[in-house]
Amino acid sequence: MTEETTTTAPERPALPDHLSTDVRSPHHVAAIFEHDVGIRFNDKERFDVAEYCISEGWIKVPVGNKVDRKGNPLMIKLKGKVEPFYK
């Protein structure tokens, strides 16, 4: 009798409606960042997205090298069609 060995990729968690890369945010989910996540915004892939919300249709991206008084990057909110996906 032979053993069948199947190697299945670990299941990826479902992408939430609202996700943030900031670990201090209540919308940060560490399990999702164990996989490569991509964001398509208005049909173009973006690589600088720090936070997104699908239902409200926005992303937050840093504004150049500008930082606030606490050293965090300044963010700007862009509105449009947001599509997160696993790479």
Side-chain angles (χ1 to χ4, degrees):
M1 183 177 257
T2 61
E3 273 186 45
E4 287 187 34
T5 57
T6 57
T7 57
T8 58
E11 291 211 16
R12 298 173 177 169
L15 291 168
D17 176 59
H18 191 154
L19 183 65
S20 175
T21 59
D22 185 5
V23 294
R24 297 169 293 167
S25 171
H27 301 290
H28 179 79
V29 181
I32 289 178
F33 292 107
E34 293 174 1
H35 309 282
D36 281 338
V37 177
I39 304 294
R40 197 171 296 115
F41 180 69
N42 290 337
D43 298 324
K44 292 184 182 176
E45 191 170 350
R46 297 285 303 243
F47 301 99
D48 59 347
V49 176
E51 188 171 352
Y52 74 79
C53 183
I54 299 170
S55 62
E56 296 176 13
W58 56 261
I59 61 171
K60 284 189 180 179
V61 295
V63 180
N65 293 331
K66 306 283 186 192
V67 293
D68 64 9
R69 61 184 173 188
K70 295 180 183 177
N72 300 320
L74 286 178
M75 298 289 175
I76 186 169
K77 188 186 281 189
L78 303 174
K79 295 193 174 218
K81 186 171 112 181
V82 180
E83 300 173 61
F85 61 93
Y86 283 114
K87 294 183 181 180

